[in-house]
Amino acid sequence: MSEKSKRDHDPDDANDRELINMEFESMVEGLSLDESSPSTYLDELENFVDQNKFVAPTPPRKSLSANLKSALSAFKKWKDGKTDRDGDGVAL
């Protein structure tokens, strides 16, 4: 006789199965299949995404003269910078 057929008739195995079935039934008993909740998991997930959406900052507007001064300053800073060109952002 195989081990499986011996286990099917084992009283301890039957008691274990009965306990497992009772635990399962008690867990299922507590579940509610009522779908009348105001929001679903997908609704909550959509709200979560909306609340955490990245909003890019809007820099303050500059006048034309302020833009030109800023560009001239950046150019001078670049021109008067390091003499060796290893640090100019280009890597080979």
Side-chain angles (χ1 to χ4, degrees):
M1 212 175 202
S2 70
E3 271 188 52
K4 186 174 181 180
S5 61
K6 287 180 187 176
R7 278 189 283 149
D8 288 341
H9 301 295
D10 189 13
D12 289 336
D13 192 38
N15 287 338
D16 288 344
R17 282 191 199 150
E18 188 176 328
L19 286 173
I20 291 171
N21 286 338
M22 287 188 335
E23 278 189 49
F24 178 75
E25 287 175 12
S26 69
M27 286 190 294
V28 170
E29 213 173 80
L31 296 176
S32 173
L33 299 177
D34 183 21
E35 294 184 10
S36 64
S37 81
S39 66
T40 64
Y41 173 73
L42 294 176
D43 293 336
E44 291 174 14
L45 189 60
E46 284 178 6
N47 292 337
F48 178 78
V49 171
D50 289 343
Q51 292 171 357
N52 295 319
K53 188 188 292 185
F54 174 74
V55 178
T58 307
R61 295 187 63 89
K62 291 183 179 179
S63 66
L64 181 60
S65 63
N67 273 337
L68 289 174
K69 285 179 185 177
S70 176
L72 184 60
S73 170
F75 180 76
K76 284 182 181 179
K77 185 177 177 183
W78 171 80
K79 187 174 182 298
D80 297 334
K82 296 180 180 178
T83 55
D84 65 312
R85 295 296 178 197
D86 290 340
D88 67 350
V90 177
L92 296 176

